[in-house]
Amino acid sequence: MVRNARKDALENRARIVEAARQEIASSNTTELRLNAIAREAGVGQGTLYRHFPTREALLVEVYRQEVDELVELAPRLLEGAEPVDALARWFDRVAEYARVKRGVLAAVEASVSRDLTTHSLGPIGDALTVLLHAGKTAGQVRDDVDAGDVIILIGYLSRLDEDEWDRRAHRLLRVILDGLRHR
Amino acid sequence: MVRNARKDALENRARIVEAARQEIASSNTTELRLNAIAREAGVGQGTLYRHFPTREALLVEVYRQEVDELVELAPRLLEGAEPVDALARWFDRVAEYARVKRGVLAAVEASVSRDLTTHSLGPIGDALTVLLHAGKTAGQVRDDVDAGDVIILIGYLSRLDEDEWDRRAHRLLRVILDGLRHR
DNA sequence: CGAAGAAGCGGACACGTGTCCACTATATCG
DNA sequence: CGATATAGTGGACACGTGTCCGCTTCTTCG
């Protein structure tokens, strides 16, 4: 991360992420007991919190691969489809992740909304910005929304219970998409 | 609440609600330290939790008046306006409450989404159902949404930071409204 | 009215979170 | 290479939550 990081610091960091990954994999639940992870990683609480100030920061790291995939998917979709359709497909992919790896969206949402004001939306926000911009340029997406707005709106995905998912997740994404359309 | 309630139980219940109300009034924050309220009300933790199993249950009680107002507003709006416009105005009113009395919507949202499956959406959900039904009948609102959907979508209001409010709250309500429109 | 049983009470407890700070290991520089 | 400043460590702690259960108080019924 930083230039002159200490060797043990990096090791600890890696060990924490690994412990978190395993914890998530084994318990397949959204819950994450931070202190348990610290224990499993063989570090103190303080160490964990210094490396990852918030639970979300840790989740972002754990799901980095998934996040990266979403990010690089956006421009690819734009090449092969109308902007609004690209957005729709991107939504579908987000939903897929949100369903299987519940932590992904929760992490993104929380970390983004934390500094919505700072205009730094993180990688996911940037990907969304690209999609929205294309949509606006093509006159398919309303002009008065930004990536932050959309992340706020689709945030419900991370709060949906498993048993409501099938009935609501995709339908509500379509409602939001229609709301985003230029009229 | 129940028929044969014990006198002291009712007193305690009232005292808890009163303590909560004061706590909210004085600290004007969304936070609510349940144990502090129990202490102020002069009851044990157990007592508080028996009367109000969840933090939301307590908030609903605290904001009962506001909730009632929202409920009886819905049919009144329908008398004087097109269904979609009534819905829009009702949204505005919800936003107003969500801004000033942050707890209202948080409570409603949480308590509703807790038993979305049981088809009991609570009073607010019922009010919304009326609005949506009128809109669908008039062909102004899409047929494939229910009150639960809408509550989920507008739930972002209770999560918006004060400083993002002005920029996003109403705009996003309009986006949602557009998404709900029949097309 | 007094006994009995049920409804309600309340505080101790187990657990998780996040902070703080005295200590330790590491990188750097003379 | 050894001194030293400092980044990094880890665990104790203060706090909040929610549960559990032995005890108390109310109500009811003979």
Side-chain angles (χ1 to χ4, degrees):
Chain A
M1 209 117 201
V2 199
R3 288 266 298 288
N4 280 339
R6 247 168 63 174
K7 181 167 56 100
D8 57 338
L10 264 57
E11 286 171 1
N12 275 332
R13 188 187 174 86
R15 212 124 36 74
I16 291 169
V17 174
E18 185 49 33
R21 214 187 298 275
Q22 285 192 14
E23 191 71 9
I24 286 175
S26 68
S27 73
N28 64 24
T29 171
T30 311
E31 320 279 309
L32 248 201
R33 293 185 326 253
L34 266 5
N35 59 2
I37 288 173
R39 195 174 350 106
E40 275 186 48
V43 303
Q45 301 260 76
T47 303
L48 189 156
Y49 276 97
R50 192 161 359 79
H51 282 292
F52 305 99
T54 68
R55 154 189 259 81
E56 291 76 36
L58 177 54
L59 284 175
V60 165
E61 193 58 33
V62 169
Y63 290 120
R64 174 166 238 133
Q65 191 185 329
E66 283 82 358
V67 170
D68 287 349
E69 272 179 48
L70 280 175
V71 168
E72 62 98 40
L73 178 64
R76 277 218 328 269
L77 286 174
L78 279 175
E79 284 172 21
E82 287 289 289
V84 164
D85 296 329
L87 187 54
R89 290 192 199 161
W90 195 77
F91 273 2
D92 288 341
R93 190 55 174 271
V94 170
E96 215 172 294
Y97 277 132
R99 180 190 179 81
V100 182
K101 321 226 173 187
R102 283 307 183 93
V104 182
L105 188 60
V108 170
E109 193 204 0
S111 72
V112 161
S113 79
R114 180 164 35 86
D115 32 35
L116 268 179
T117 38
T118 74
H119 290 284
S120 119
L121 293 170
I124 297 263
D126 294 341
L128 239 177
T129 300
V130 171
L131 286 168
L132 289 178
H133 178 72
K136 291 177 192 172
T137 304
Q140 298 176 342
V141 171
R142 59 195 302 157
D143 285 309
D144 63 344
V145 293
D146 63 23
D149 292 332
V150 176
I151 290 178
I152 288 174
L153 286 177
I154 66 178
Y156 77 90
L157 283 173
S158 68
R159 258 164 271 120
L160 224 46
D161 275 351
E162 184 64 35
D163 41 334
E164 309 169 41
W165 185 277
D166 290 326
R167 202 169 5 120
R168 309 195 115 103
H170 282 89
R171 186 154 42 84
L172 288 181
L173 276 182
R174 249 177 287 135
V175 172
I176 292 173
L177 192 66
D178 282 348
L180 293 175
R181 289 195 138 94
H182 184 75
R183 46 190 56 237
Chain B
M1 207 112 204
V2 199
R3 288 268 299 289
N4 282 339
R6 247 168 66 171
K7 183 166 55 94
D8 57 337
L10 263 59
E11 285 172 0
N12 275 332
R13 188 188 173 85
R15 213 127 33 77
I16 291 169
V17 174
E18 185 49 31
R21 213 186 300 273
Q22 285 193 14
E23 191 71 9
I24 287 175
S26 67
S27 73
N28 63 26
T29 171
T30 312
E31 320 281 308
L32 249 202
R33 294 187 325 253
L34 266 4
N35 59 0
I37 288 172
R39 195 173 350 105
E40 273 187 50
V43 304
Q45 300 260 77
T47 303
L48 190 156
Y49 276 95
R50 190 157 2 78
H51 283 292
F52 305 99
T54 68
R55 154 189 259 83
E56 290 76 35
L58 177 53
L59 284 175
V60 166
E61 194 59 32
V62 169
Y63 289 120
R64 174 166 238 134
Q65 190 185 329
E66 282 82 358
V67 170
D68 287 349
E69 272 179 47
L70 281 176
V71 169
E72 61 98 40
L73 179 64
R76 277 217 329 269
L77 286 174
L78 279 175
E79 284 171 22
E82 288 289 288
V84 164
D85 296 329
L87 187 56
R89 289 190 199 164
W90 195 78
F91 273 2
D92 287 341
R93 190 56 174 270
V94 170
E96 216 171 293
Y97 277 132
R99 179 190 180 79
V100 182
K101 320 225 172 189
R102 283 308 184 91
V104 182
L105 188 61
V108 170
E109 193 204 359
S111 73
V112 161
S113 79
R114 180 163 35 85
D115 32 38
L116 268 178
T117 38
T118 75
H119 290 285
S120 121
L121 294 171
I124 296 265
D126 294 341
L128 240 178
T129 300
V130 171
L131 286 168
L132 289 178
H133 178 72
K136 291 177 192 173
T137 303
Q140 296 175 343
V141 171
R142 61 196 301 158
D143 286 308
D144 63 344
V145 293
D146 63 24
D149 291 333
V150 176
I151 290 177
I152 288 173
L153 287 178
I154 66 178
Y156 76 91
L157 283 173
S158 68
R159 257 165 273 120
L160 224 46
D161 276 350
E162 183 65 34
D163 40 332
E164 309 170 41
W165 185 278
D166 290 325
R167 202 170 4 122
R168 308 195 116 103
H170 282 89
R171 187 155 40 85
L172 288 181
L173 276 182
R174 250 178 286 134
V175 172
I176 292 174
L177 191 66
D178 282 347
L180 293 175
R181 290 193 135 95
H182 184 76
R183 49 190 55 237

